Amino acid sequence: MTLTRLQALMLLEQCTGVDIWSEDTCRRAGVPDEWFAELADCYESGFRQDDETIYYGDDVVNQYHGVHDLLLARKIATLFGVDVQRIASTAWSRQAEVQQLKEAVDEE
């Protein structure tokens, strides 16, 4: 584990399932640089539904480079031995998946 247990738990607690963390946000939160390199992507807004749209503050943006906190939550849960695939296959939303991952980590 590249993080202490406490660091990993603190990161997981910040995950919501809806946020994309910028490189600066990841660094301030203590996300290892290699994780950022592995998980970062350029996300594009969709405009059919609000949950497809990416906001930076109050402004809509077309693209945003960063790490989706759902991926970060999955990475952390994997470190704790959680069956991430099982949870991902049964969760009805990104937020619900993150909550289930948090609960599974708490049970470990």
Side-chain angles (χ1 to χ4, degrees):
M1 188 182 292
T2 58
L3 299 171
T4 67
R5 178 179 174 80
L6 180 58
Q7 289 170 320
L9 290 171
M10 288 172 47
L11 278 177
L12 182 59
E13 187 57 36
Q14 295 176 60
C15 296
T16 63
V18 296
D19 296 322
I20 302 170
W21 295 17
S22 69
E23 186 171 8
D24 287 341
T25 300
C26 285
R27 283 208 171 112
R28 282 193 307 271
V31 174
D33 290 339
E34 58 270 14
W35 286 17
F36 184 84
E38 174 188 344
L39 300 174
D41 204 349
C42 186
Y43 295 91
E44 290 192 22
S45 280
F47 298 101
R48 288 181 235 190
Q49 298 177 2
D50 191 53
D51 67 347
E52 297 176 346
T53 306
I54 300 171
Y55 294 90
Y56 183 76
D58 291 332
D59 299 324
V60 173
V61 295
N62 290 330
Q63 296 181 338
Y64 193 83
H65 184 257
V67 174
H68 198 292
D69 69 353
L70 171 60
L71 299 179
L72 186 57
R74 288 176 180 167
K75 178 86 171 173
I76 295 166
T78 299
L79 293 175
F80 286 95
V82 171
D83 185 352
V84 172
Q85 292 299 328
R86 181 187 57 77
I87 291 172
S89 69
T90 61
W92 52 271
S93 71
R94 295 183 304 245
Q95 296 94 323
E97 182 178 344
V98 169
Q99 186 58 41
Q100 289 175 24
L101 291 170
K102 288 177 179 181
E103 291 168 5
V105 167
D106 283 344
E107 293 172 2
E108 290 297 315

